[in-house]
Amino acid sequence: MDFLLDNFVALTVTGLSLGAIYALVALGYTLVYGVLQLINFAHSEVFMYGAFAATWTVYAMGGRAGASTGAVIGYLLAALVAAMAFSGLIALLLERVAYRRLRKQNAPRLIALISAIGASFALAELMGLRDKVADFLGLGETLRPYVRGARNSSGFPEIIDTTPLFTLGDYDVTNIDLLVITSALVMMLALDLFVARTRFGRGIRAVAQDPESASLMGVNSDRTVQLTFLLGGLMAGAAAVLYVVKIGSIRFDTGFLLGVKAFTAAVLGGIGNLRGALLGGFVLGLAENYGSALIGTEWRDVVAFTLLVVILLFRPTGLLGESLAKART
Amino acid sequence: MLLTVEGLCVNYGRIEALRDISFEVPEGSVVTLVGANGAGKTTTLKTVSGLRGVRAGKVVFAGEDITHLPAHRRVERGVSQAPEGRGIFPGMTVRENLEMGAYVRKDRKTAAYREDTERVLTLFPRLQERIGQSAGTLSGGEQQMLAIGRGLMARPRLLLLDEPSMGLAPKLIQQIFSIVTEINQQGTTVLLVEQNAAQALKRADHAHIMETGEIVRSGTGAELAGDDAVKAAYLGGDI
């Protein structure tokens, strides 16, 4: 208990930055669920591919510790663009390969879920065997720096020196904390505005609320579903950059646990609800930090999933309840 | 001819929902399909709007064969449907629902669009009162008004109305039907599906009576309303 109180500010700030990453990934689960009532289990892999894209991009640009501020901003922006593009692409591919035919044939949702789990393992293992893939394509030598140690962690170049910016209580808030939290909030705000205010956003909400009526209004439901996957992918890509900046490395199977946590965040807030995902992410990040401070770091995941069970027992629809379908915005 | 339906056959699995349906809707008219529950009226409408695929037959709209055109493309051509059970978007405001009706229009920033919004809100003053309210909180009658108003926002050449009187109080039914007539007088062609045969026949230029997936009688609204067999089967004794 003393540890929790002594480090309350530190635990809160790091919990929020972890929660911000959960929330960004959770948006992908919640968007797709809102529109298709499908749990896109492979969304964790969409995130993981983005993290690799970010790492490779900065590596290819020669990013290393001690770069000038201008260069660091350049690296980060390039990493962001690459990760969002790659994650978006993977999300679109996933929809095309793993789900579309099932949807056209009105397959039961359980079938789609199994397809999702299969796609998740396939994507993760493909990344974990990327050295074999490169050898097979005859590019093993050229791509060596990118594919070596395919089953180990790949470190993200340490382009940012962690520096304290200001003191809050007795904790020095670092530039990375601030970067992660503010970028995540900006992305979420942008998504929220897009869904609430734009024509395409209205199309997404219309399909979520009543797919048949939506097509009677002239909404192309295939396009809308693709757009939904793309948006989820873009958010996961952004989350991936923040993740590698904060954590410093990525592995082919990192997506799994993070994906389950992000999914937990989505359910916690009320799946199908965009603002619920945001709230769920932050609550989960904080709960993990406070919980592990109370009973020990090795209990971190136990705390997270116990919280999920408790919320589902007492509030099965999540904290904010409403789905994308019923939510006003 | 604005709409021609020719030899339409539609199946739900192995059940024949429609058998050899043919009828025409002239530009500027009100045409109605009446009949009991399960006669195939709604299925016919959904086939015209593109929500159901056909086994055989043709749907021709304004000279173009649209039989295999997806629903969302038919809206661009000028076919708009106010679906059965209203099908409004409960989580959107009344205004957003109306905007959804105009989803395919490219002129959403122009005076023409504002005029159409005005026109709908003049037809349905209740919607004006509830403009910022979420549509899920509207009463049944208001939701019906919203569904029709939303259908009009697409500026359709053909408006498909599926059971606009369903579940409404008698006074409201009268009101909805006079508005249908008014919409038609303002130049929109209407294809109306109704169980309330008395009202529908009174308003229609042409009418078709459906039974178990087939058209069994056709004529002008007045002819059918005066027909003894039709009276006995659909109009009851106390009109």
Side-chain angles (χ1 to χ4, degrees):
Chain A
M1 192 49 117
D2 287 346
F3 183 76
L4 173 65
L5 293 179
D6 292 345
N7 297 281
F8 188 75
V9 179
L11 291 167
T12 305
V13 174
T14 52
L16 286 177
S17 61
L18 191 63
I21 294 172
Y22 290 155
L24 275 180
V25 180
L27 289 172
Y29 286 101
T30 236
L31 270 171
V32 168
Y33 184 87
V35 168
L36 293 177
Q37 283 77 51
L38 163 78
I39 293 162
N40 178 14
F41 201 80
H43 187 61
S44 48
E45 271 36 79
V46 170
F47 161 82
M48 181 268 288
Y49 274 64
F52 272 100
T55 308
W56 292 335
T57 304
V58 175
Y59 183 87
M61 292 171 73
R64 60 179 67 82
S68 68
T69 312
V72 169
I73 291 174
Y75 294 145
L76 284 179
L77 284 180
L80 187 67
V81 169
M84 287 176 77
F86 199 39
S87 288
L89 184 74
I90 296 287
L92 285 176
L93 264 174
L94 196 60
E95 189 272 335
R96 183 73 191 80
V97 175
Y99 304 128
R100 193 181 300 172
R101 277 180 69 87
L102 295 174
R103 200 171 75 241
K104 294 282 175 205
Q105 294 174 8
N106 284 321
R109 277 180 213 151
L110 186 60
I111 305 292
L113 181 64
I114 293 169
S115 179
I117 293 172
S120 172
F121 282 112
L123 282 169
E125 287 303 322
L126 191 67
M127 186 55 89
L129 296 170
R130 61 185 185 281
D131 49 349
K132 307 282 190 298
V133 178
D135 285 340
F136 178 76
L137 296 172
L139 296 169
E141 277 314 307
T142 338
L143 297 178
R144 186 59 58 213
Y146 301 93
V147 299
R148 72 175 164 225
R151 300 198 82 77
N152 302 326
S153 290
S154 305
F156 182 74
E158 283 179 34
I159 49 173
I160 306 183
D161 295 324
T162 309
T163 44
L165 290 181
F166 55 91
T167 310
L168 203 66
D170 49 6
Y171 175 72
D172 296 325
V173 178
T174 68
N175 49 354
I176 292 187
D177 290 327
L178 205 65
L179 174 74
V180 169
I181 296 176
T182 50
S183 340
L185 285 175
V186 167
M187 292 300 295
M188 288 180 245
L189 189 67
L191 180 73
D192 200 73
L193 284 177
F194 181 85
V195 173
R197 298 282 163 78
T198 67
R199 174 166 177 266
F200 290 117
R202 251 201 303 279
I204 289 179
R205 284 190 291 145
V207 174
Q209 294 180 23
D210 190 332
E212 211 163 70
S213 281
S215 67
L216 289 178
M217 301 299 113
V219 181
N220 182 338
S221 57
D222 278 345
R223 279 285 164 71
T224 306
V225 168
Q226 285 171 348
L227 178 64
T228 309
F229 272 85
L230 178 66
L231 286 174
L234 295 177
M235 293 295 138
V241 175
L242 302 180
Y243 179 89
V244 288
V245 165
K246 185 174 161 59
I247 307 291
S249 69
I250 182 73
R251 212 169 81 157
F252 74 100
D253 59 357
T254 309
F256 180 78
L257 188 61
L258 190 118
V260 175
K261 292 268 182 73
F263 175 66
T264 301
V267 174
L268 208 57
I271 190 145
N273 182 327
L274 292 182
R275 288 171 192 176
L278 174 69
L279 179 66
F282 285 128
V283 167
L284 188 68
L286 290 174
E288 272 191 20
N289 263 10
Y290 297 153
S292 51
L294 274 180
I295 52 178
T297 332
E298 63 275 26
W299 292 86
R300 166 175 285 274
D301 299 342
V302 179
V303 171
F305 297 120
T306 307
L307 177 67
L308 175 68
V309 172
V310 170
I311 293 276
L312 287 183
L313 279 177
F314 294 104
R315 217 179 139 78
T317 52
L319 295 172
L320 296 188
E322 289 178 315
S323 66
L324 187 63
K326 297 191 197 100
R328 276 283 303 279
T329 49
Chain B
M1 201 53 63
L2 189 60
L3 177 76
T4 310
V5 173
E6 255 177 58
L8 210 57
C9 298
V10 174
N11 279 30
Y12 286 136
R14 293 172 60 190
I15 301 159
E16 283 188 308
L18 296 182
R19 274 192 307 276
D20 196 22
I21 299 282
S22 299
F23 64 92
E24 292 186 323
V25 179
E27 182 113 48
S29 65
V30 176
V31 173
T32 182
L33 306 174
V34 295
N37 232 341
K41 308 183 301 287
T42 293
T43 305
T44 308
L45 223 53
K46 284 185 171 179
T47 314
V48 173
S49 61
L51 293 177
R52 293 286 172 273
V54 305
R55 185 167 62 78
K58 266 200 329 193
V59 180
V60 179
F61 180 73
E64 182 191 8
D65 186 340
I66 58 165
T67 318
H68 299 291
L69 207 63
H72 65 92
R73 304 285 304 281
R74 296 186 196 197
V75 185
E76 296 164 9
R77 302 289 195 281
V79 181
S80 178
Q81 181 179 353
E84 183 186 35
R86 303 172 187 116
I88 50 129
F89 301 111
M92 295 188 192
T93 62
V94 169
R95 183 182 291 287
E96 283 179 311
N97 267 276
L98 293 177
E99 282 167 359
M100 276 311 297
Y103 191 80
V104 296
R105 286 175 61 167
K106 305 231 176 336
D107 61 347
R108 282 183 305 278
K109 301 246 185 290
T110 66
Y113 175 80
R114 280 193 296 278
E115 270 167 33
D116 285 349
T117 314
E118 279 309 306
R119 174 184 164 217
V120 167
L121 294 176
T122 316
L123 276 175
F124 302 106
R126 284 303 275 275
L127 296 184
Q128 175 74 67
E129 291 165 30
R130 306 249 186 273
I131 194 84
Q133 205 169 315
S134 117
T137 64
L138 299 183
S139 73
E142 290 163 348
Q143 290 192 10
Q144 189 60 63
M145 294 174 192
L146 180 55
I148 298 175
R150 189 184 60 176
L152 285 173
M153 287 303 292
R155 258 205 179 189
R157 294 179 68 184
L158 175 63
L159 179 65
L160 309 173
L161 294 176
D162 197 350
E163 306 265 7
S165 76
M166 189 170 66
L168 299 187
K171 201 177 141 202
L172 220 49
I173 292 182
Q174 277 293 343
Q175 200 188 338
I176 290 272
F177 276 108
S178 1
I179 287 171
V180 170
T181 308
E182 198 176 326
I183 289 169
N184 177 246
Q185 280 160 0
Q186 290 175 7
T188 309
T189 310
V190 177
L191 176 57
L192 169 70
V193 152
E194 256 304 328
Q195 279 194 61
N196 188 330
Q199 281 288 341
L201 292 178
K202 197 163 92 188
R203 313 268 169 184
D205 300 310
H206 302 274
H208 307 275
I209 296 188
M210 293 189 71
E211 272 175 22
T212 59
E214 289 175 304
I215 290 180
V216 293
R217 295 284 312 264
S218 300
T220 66
E223 269 167 30
L224 291 183
D227 186 284
D228 288 340
V230 174
K231 269 189 195 159
Y234 296 103
L235 301 179
D238 53 347
I239 309 289

